[in-house]
PDB file of all heavy atoms in Angstrom:
ATOM      1  N   ASP Q  73      -4.588   0.437  80.467  1.00  0.00           N
ATOM      2  CA  ASP Q  73      -5.721   0.958  81.148  1.00  0.00           C
ATOM      3  C   ASP Q  73      -6.479   2.066  80.385  1.00  0.00           C
ATOM      4  O   ASP Q  73      -7.177   2.862  80.929  1.00  0.00           O
ATOM      5  CB  ASP Q  73      -5.369   1.438  82.539  1.00  0.00           C
ATOM      6  CG  ASP Q  73      -4.356   2.607  82.481  1.00  0.00           C
ATOM      7  OD1 ASP Q  73      -3.828   2.926  81.390  1.00  0.00           O
ATOM      8  OD2 ASP Q  73      -3.988   3.168  83.557  1.00  0.00           O
ATOM      9  N   ARG Q  74      -6.284   2.049  79.036  1.00  0.00           N
ATOM     10  CA  ARG Q  74      -7.020   3.058  78.219  1.00  0.00           C
ATOM     11  C   ARG Q  74      -7.541   2.387  76.971  1.00  0.00           C
ATOM     12  O   ARG Q  74      -7.020   1.321  76.576  1.00  0.00           O
ATOM     13  CB  ARG Q  74      -6.183   4.248  77.947  1.00  0.00           C
ATOM     14  CG  ARG Q  74      -4.972   3.937  77.035  1.00  0.00           C
ATOM     15  CD  ARG Q  74      -4.102   5.165  76.899  1.00  0.00           C
ATOM     16  NE  ARG Q  74      -3.095   4.909  75.828  1.00  0.00           N
ATOM     17  CZ  ARG Q  74      -2.655   5.885  75.057  1.00  0.00           C
ATOM     18  NH1 ARG Q  74      -3.043   7.111  75.168  1.00  0.00           N
ATOM     19  NH2 ARG Q  74      -1.771   5.578  74.133  1.00  0.00           N
ATOM     20  N   VAL Q  75      -8.520   2.992  76.367  1.00  0.00           N
ATOM     21  CA  VAL Q  75      -9.079   2.512  75.076  1.00  0.00           C
ATOM     22  C   VAL Q  75      -9.240   3.688  74.105  1.00  0.00           C
ATOM     23  O   VAL Q  75      -9.386   4.829  74.527  1.00  0.00           O
ATOM     24  CB  VAL Q  75     -10.427   1.799  75.315  1.00  0.00           C
ATOM     25  CG1 VAL Q  75     -10.326   0.562  76.125  1.00  0.00           C
ATOM     26  CG2 VAL Q  75     -11.475   2.766  75.912  1.00  0.00           C
ATOM     27  N   GLN Q  76      -9.201   3.370  72.848  1.00  0.00           N
ATOM     28  CA  GLN Q  76      -9.434   4.363  71.819  1.00  0.00           C
ATOM     29  C   GLN Q  76     -10.871   4.212  71.329  1.00  0.00           C
ATOM     30  O   GLN Q  76     -11.231   3.088  70.913  1.00  0.00           O
ATOM     31  CB  GLN Q  76      -8.433   4.205  70.696  1.00  0.00           C
ATOM     32  CG  GLN Q  76      -8.493   5.357  69.652  1.00  0.00           C
ATOM     33  CD  GLN Q  76      -7.520   5.170  68.578  1.00  0.00           C
ATOM     34  OE1 GLN Q  76      -7.383   4.088  67.979  1.00  0.00           O
ATOM     35  NE2 GLN Q  76      -6.780   6.228  68.242  1.00  0.00           N
ATOM     36  N   VAL Q  77     -11.630   5.296  71.331  1.00  0.00           N
ATOM     37  CA  VAL Q  77     -13.021   5.234  70.957  1.00  0.00           C
ATOM     38  C   VAL Q  77     -13.233   6.156  69.760  1.00  0.00           C
ATOM     39  O   VAL Q  77     -12.724   7.278  69.660  1.00  0.00           O
ATOM     40  CB  VAL Q  77     -13.926   5.711  72.132  1.00  0.00           C
ATOM     41  CG1 VAL Q  77     -15.368   5.690  71.704  1.00  0.00           C
ATOM     42  CG2 VAL Q  77     -13.699   4.873  73.371  1.00  0.00           C
ATOM     43  N   ARG Q  78     -14.001   5.661  68.788  1.00  0.00           N
ATOM     44  CA  ARG Q  78     -14.302   6.380  67.568  1.00  0.00           C
ATOM     45  C   ARG Q  78     -15.744   6.787  67.555  1.00  0.00           C
ATOM     46  O   ARG Q  78     -16.626   5.990  67.890  1.00  0.00           O
ATOM     47  CB  ARG Q  78     -14.050   5.464  66.351  1.00  0.00           C
ATOM     48  CG  ARG Q  78     -14.346   6.099  65.058  1.00  0.00           C
ATOM     49  CD  ARG Q  78     -14.010   5.170  63.939  1.00  0.00           C
ATOM     50  NE  ARG Q  78     -14.492   5.711  62.661  1.00  0.00           N
ATOM     51  CZ  ARG Q  78     -15.241   5.012  61.846  1.00  0.00           C
ATOM     52  NH1 ARG Q  78     -15.573   3.765  62.136  1.00  0.00           N
ATOM     53  NH2 ARG Q  78     -15.687   5.550  60.713  1.00  0.00           N
ATOM     54  N   GLY Q  79     -16.038   8.035  67.254  1.00  0.00           N
ATOM     55  CA  GLY Q  79     -17.368   8.548  67.204  1.00  0.00           C
ATOM     56  C   GLY Q  79     -18.129   8.082  65.982  1.00  0.00           C
ATOM     57  O   GLY Q  79     -17.528   7.528  65.060  1.00  0.00           O
ATOM     58  N   PRO Q  80     -19.428   8.323  65.982  1.00  0.00           N
ATOM     59  CA  PRO Q  80     -20.263   7.865  64.785  1.00  0.00           C
ATOM     60  C   PRO Q  80     -19.714   8.469  63.515  1.00  0.00           C
ATOM     61  O   PRO Q  80     -19.371   9.586  63.434  1.00  0.00           O
ATOM     62  CB  PRO Q  80     -21.645   8.445  65.144  1.00  0.00           C
ATOM     63  CG  PRO Q  80     -21.594   8.700  66.607  1.00  0.00           C
ATOM     64  CD  PRO Q  80     -20.190   8.969  66.982  1.00  0.00           C
ATOM     65  N   ALA Q  81     -19.655   7.615  62.512  1.00  0.00           N
ATOM     66  CA  ALA Q  81     -19.217   8.009  61.132  1.00  0.00           C
ATOM     67  C   ALA Q  81     -17.774   8.609  61.178  1.00  0.00           C
ATOM     68  O   ALA Q  81     -17.423   9.418  60.321  1.00  0.00           O
ATOM     69  CB  ALA Q  81     -20.153   8.937  60.490  1.00  0.00           C
ATOM     70  N   GLY Q  82     -16.983   8.266  62.169  1.00  0.00           N
ATOM     71  CA  GLY Q  82     -15.630   8.768  62.290  1.00  0.00           C
ATOM     72  C   GLY Q  82     -15.503  10.236  62.674  1.00  0.00           C
ATOM     73  O   GLY Q  82     -14.477  10.894  62.389  1.00  0.00           O
ATOM     74  N   ALA Q  83     -16.553  10.760  63.304  1.00  0.00           N
ATOM     75  CA  ALA Q  83     -16.572  12.169  63.674  1.00  0.00           C
ATOM     76  C   ALA Q  83     -15.395  12.620  64.573  1.00  0.00           C
ATOM     77  O   ALA Q  83     -14.916  13.740  64.526  1.00  0.00           O
ATOM     78  CB  ALA Q  83     -17.821  12.544  64.366  1.00  0.00           C
ATOM     79  N   TRP Q  84     -14.910  11.659  65.374  1.00  0.00           N
ATOM     80  CA  TRP Q  84     -13.765  11.927  66.254  1.00  0.00           C
ATOM     81  C   TRP Q  84     -13.138  10.625  66.674  1.00  0.00           C
ATOM     82  O   TRP Q  84     -13.710   9.598  66.512  1.00  0.00           O
ATOM     83  CB  TRP Q  84     -14.178  12.751  67.516  1.00  0.00           C
ATOM     84  CG  TRP Q  84     -15.452  12.240  68.182  1.00  0.00           C
ATOM     85  CD1 TRP Q  84     -16.723  12.661  67.990  1.00  0.00           C
ATOM     86  CD2 TRP Q  84     -15.553  11.157  69.088  1.00  0.00           C
ATOM     87  NE1 TRP Q  84     -17.628  11.930  68.680  1.00  0.00           N
ATOM     88  CE2 TRP Q  84     -16.902  11.001  69.430  1.00  0.00           C
ATOM     89  CE3 TRP Q  84     -14.662  10.306  69.678  1.00  0.00           C
ATOM     90  CZ2 TRP Q  84     -17.356  10.006  70.307  1.00  0.00           C
ATOM     91  CZ3 TRP Q  84     -15.091   9.320  70.559  1.00  0.00           C
ATOM     92  CH2 TRP Q  84     -16.462   9.212  70.904  1.00  0.00           C
ATOM     93  N   LEU Q  85     -11.881  10.690  67.119  1.00  0.00           N
ATOM     94  CA  LEU Q  85     -11.152   9.511  67.599  1.00  0.00           C
ATOM     95  C   LEU Q  85     -10.422   9.995  68.864  1.00  0.00           C
ATOM     96  O   LEU Q  85      -9.666  10.993  68.840  1.00  0.00           O
ATOM     97  CB  LEU Q  85     -10.146   9.092  66.522  1.00  0.00           C
ATOM     98  CG  LEU Q  85      -9.451   7.747  66.694  1.00  0.00           C
ATOM     99  CD1 LEU Q  85     -10.467   6.664  66.702  1.00  0.00           C
ATOM    100  CD2 LEU Q  85      -8.437   7.552  65.611  1.00  0.00           C
ATOM    101  N   LEU Q  86     -10.620   9.287  70.007  1.00  0.00           N
ATOM    102  CA  LEU Q  86     -10.160   9.755  71.284  1.00  0.00           C
ATOM    103  C   LEU Q  86      -9.652   8.628  72.117  1.00  0.00           C
ATOM    104  O   LEU Q  86     -10.297   7.572  72.209  1.00  0.00           O
ATOM    105  CB  LEU Q  86     -11.358  10.435  71.981  1.00  0.00           C
ATOM    106  CG  LEU Q  86     -11.146  11.034  73.312  1.00  0.00           C
ATOM    107  CD1 LEU Q  86     -10.221  12.226  73.252  1.00  0.00           C
ATOM    108  CD2 LEU Q  86     -12.522  11.476  73.903  1.00  0.00           C
ATOM    109  N   TRP Q  87      -8.493   8.796  72.757  1.00  0.00           N
ATOM    110  CA  TRP Q  87      -8.033   7.891  73.757  1.00  0.00           C
ATOM    111  C   TRP Q  87      -8.572   8.293  75.132  1.00  0.00           C
ATOM    112  O   TRP Q  87      -8.516   9.491  75.466  1.00  0.00           O
ATOM    113  CB  TRP Q  87      -6.480   7.899  73.879  1.00  0.00           C
ATOM    114  CG  TRP Q  87      -5.793   7.093  72.819  1.00  0.00           C
ATOM    115  CD1 TRP Q  87      -5.225   7.628  71.679  1.00  0.00           C
ATOM    116  CD2 TRP Q  87      -5.663   5.716  72.706  1.00  0.00           C
ATOM    117  NE1 TRP Q  87      -4.691   6.595  70.934  1.00  0.00           N
ATOM    118  CE2 TRP Q  87      -4.967   5.411  71.546  1.00  0.00           C
ATOM    119  CE3 TRP Q  87      -6.018   4.592  73.578  1.00  0.00           C
ATOM    120  CZ2 TRP Q  87      -4.554   4.134  71.174  1.00  0.00           C
ATOM    121  CZ3 TRP Q  87      -5.638   3.373  73.251  1.00  0.00           C
ATOM    122  CH2 TRP Q  87      -4.929   3.136  72.023  1.00  0.00           C
ATOM    123  N   VAL Q  88      -9.162   7.339  75.879  1.00  0.00           N
ATOM    124  CA  VAL Q  88      -9.730   7.663  77.191  1.00  0.00           C
ATOM    125  C   VAL Q  88      -9.277   6.577  78.207  1.00  0.00           C
ATOM    126  O   VAL Q  88      -9.081   5.434  77.786  1.00  0.00           O
ATOM    127  CB  VAL Q  88     -11.267   7.791  77.190  1.00  0.00           C
ATOM    128  CG1 VAL Q  88     -11.709   8.941  76.323  1.00  0.00           C
ATOM    129  CG2 VAL Q  88     -11.915   6.520  76.710  1.00  0.00           C
ATOM    130  N   GLU Q  89      -9.255   6.936  79.441  1.00  0.00           N
ATOM    131  CA  GLU Q  89      -8.964   5.947  80.498  1.00  0.00           C
ATOM    132  C   GLU Q  89     -10.131   4.967  80.583  1.00  0.00           C
ATOM    133  O   GLU Q  89     -11.285   5.330  80.403  1.00  0.00           O
ATOM    134  CB  GLU Q  89      -8.783   6.636  81.848  1.00  0.00           C
ATOM    135  CG  GLU Q  89      -7.600   7.534  81.881  1.00  0.00           C
ATOM    136  CD  GLU Q  89      -7.891   8.918  81.539  1.00  0.00           C
ATOM    137  OE1 GLU Q  89      -9.090   9.261  81.221  1.00  0.00           O
ATOM    138  OE2 GLU Q  89      -6.930   9.786  81.483  1.00  0.00           O
ATOM    139  N   ARG Q  90      -9.818   3.768  80.829  1.00  0.00           N
ATOM    140  CA  ARG Q  90     -10.818   2.630  80.808  1.00  0.00           C
ATOM    141  C   ARG Q  90     -11.908   2.869  81.880  1.00  0.00           C
ATOM    142  O   ARG Q  90     -13.003   2.546  81.665  1.00  0.00           O
ATOM    143  CB  ARG Q  90     -10.136   1.284  81.067  1.00  0.00           C
ATOM    144  CG  ARG Q  90     -11.101   0.169  80.837  1.00  0.00           C
ATOM    145  CD  ARG Q  90     -10.411  -1.122  80.884  1.00  0.00           C
ATOM    146  NE  ARG Q  90      -9.631  -1.319  79.722  1.00  0.00           N
ATOM    147  CZ  ARG Q  90      -9.160  -2.458  79.253  1.00  0.00           C
ATOM    148  NH1 ARG Q  90      -9.368  -3.525  79.930  1.00  0.00           N
ATOM    149  NH2 ARG Q  90      -8.486  -2.575  78.182  1.00  0.00           N
ATOM    150  N   TRP Q  91     -11.594   3.579  82.963  1.00  0.00           N
ATOM    151  CA  TRP Q  91     -12.587   3.816  83.977  1.00  0.00           C
ATOM    152  C   TRP Q  91     -13.708   4.759  83.522  1.00  0.00           C
ATOM    153  O   TRP Q  91     -14.762   4.784  84.135  1.00  0.00           O
ATOM    154  CB  TRP Q  91     -11.929   4.303  85.296  1.00  0.00           C
ATOM    155  CG  TRP Q  91     -11.271   5.632  85.196  1.00  0.00           C
ATOM    156  CD1 TRP Q  91      -9.965   5.829  84.957  1.00  0.00           C
ATOM    157  CD2 TRP Q  91     -11.847   6.923  85.416  1.00  0.00           C
ATOM    158  NE1 TRP Q  91      -9.632   7.178  84.998  1.00  0.00           N
ATOM    159  CE2 TRP Q  91     -10.803   7.863  85.264  1.00  0.00           C
ATOM    160  CE3 TRP Q  91     -13.113   7.385  85.688  1.00  0.00           C
ATOM    161  CZ2 TRP Q  91     -10.959   9.207  85.356  1.00  0.00           C
ATOM    162  CZ3 TRP Q  91     -13.312   8.717  85.814  1.00  0.00           C
ATOM    163  CH2 TRP Q  91     -12.269   9.625  85.648  1.00  0.00           C
ATOM    164  N   ARG Q  92     -13.452   5.473  82.430  1.00  0.00           N
ATOM    165  CA  ARG Q  92     -14.476   6.364  81.907  1.00  0.00           C
ATOM    166  C   ARG Q  92     -15.455   5.653  80.978  1.00  0.00           C
ATOM    167  O   ARG Q  92     -16.457   6.243  80.533  1.00  0.00           O
ATOM    168  CB  ARG Q  92     -13.848   7.521  81.141  1.00  0.00           C
ATOM    169  CG  ARG Q  92     -13.064   8.457  82.010  1.00  0.00           C
ATOM    170  CD  ARG Q  92     -12.559   9.621  81.225  1.00  0.00           C
ATOM    171  NE  ARG Q  92     -11.773  10.559  82.038  1.00  0.00           N
ATOM    172  CZ  ARG Q  92     -12.235  11.503  82.733  1.00  0.00           C
ATOM    173  NH1 ARG Q  92     -13.508  11.721  82.854  1.00  0.00           N
ATOM    174  NH2 ARG Q  92     -11.426  12.295  83.409  1.00  0.00           N
ATOM    175  N   VAL Q  93     -15.172   4.396  80.620  1.00  0.00           N
ATOM    176  CA  VAL Q  93     -15.912   3.643  79.555  1.00  0.00           C
ATOM    177  C   VAL Q  93     -16.994   2.745  80.170  1.00  0.00           C
ATOM    178  O   VAL Q  93     -16.644   2.029  81.108  1.00  0.00           O
ATOM    179  CB  VAL Q  93     -14.950   2.878  78.688  1.00  0.00           C
ATOM    180  CG1 VAL Q  93     -15.672   1.989  77.692  1.00  0.00           C
ATOM    181  CG2 VAL Q  93     -13.997   3.800  77.943  1.00  0.00           C
ATOM    182  N   ILE Q  94     -18.155   2.780  79.634  1.00  0.00           N
ATOM    183  CA  ILE Q  94     -19.234   1.826  79.990  1.00  0.00           C
ATOM    184  C   ILE Q  94     -19.707   1.172  78.732  1.00  0.00           C
ATOM    185  O   ILE Q  94     -20.111   1.834  77.777  1.00  0.00           O
ATOM    186  CB  ILE Q  94     -20.382   2.576  80.676  1.00  0.00           C
ATOM    187  CG1 ILE Q  94     -19.901   3.241  81.985  1.00  0.00           C
ATOM    188  CG2 ILE Q  94     -21.586   1.621  80.926  1.00  0.00           C
ATOM    189  CD1 ILE Q  94     -20.958   4.103  82.605  1.00  0.00           C
ATOM    190  N   VAL Q  95     -19.632  -0.154  78.705  1.00  0.00           N
ATOM    191  CA  VAL Q  95     -20.085  -0.977  77.532  1.00  0.00           C
ATOM    192  C   VAL Q  95     -21.592  -0.928  77.459  1.00  0.00           C
ATOM    193  O   VAL Q  95     -22.242  -1.172  78.419  1.00  0.00           O
ATOM    194  CB  VAL Q  95     -19.490  -2.442  77.616  1.00  0.00           C
ATOM    195  CG1 VAL Q  95     -20.066  -3.221  76.431  1.00  0.00           C
ATOM    196  CG2 VAL Q  95     -18.045  -2.431  77.670  1.00  0.00           C
TER     197      VAL Q  95
END
Side-chain angles (χ1 to χ4, degrees):
D73 60 354
R74 66 186 191 147
V75 296
Q76 187 179 48
V77 180
R78 178 177 171 233
W84 47 265
L85 192 61
L86 179 68
W87 281 101
V88 296
E89 294 90 1
R90 191 173 286 198
W91 63 267
R92 294 185 182 276
V93 174
I94 297 173
V95 177

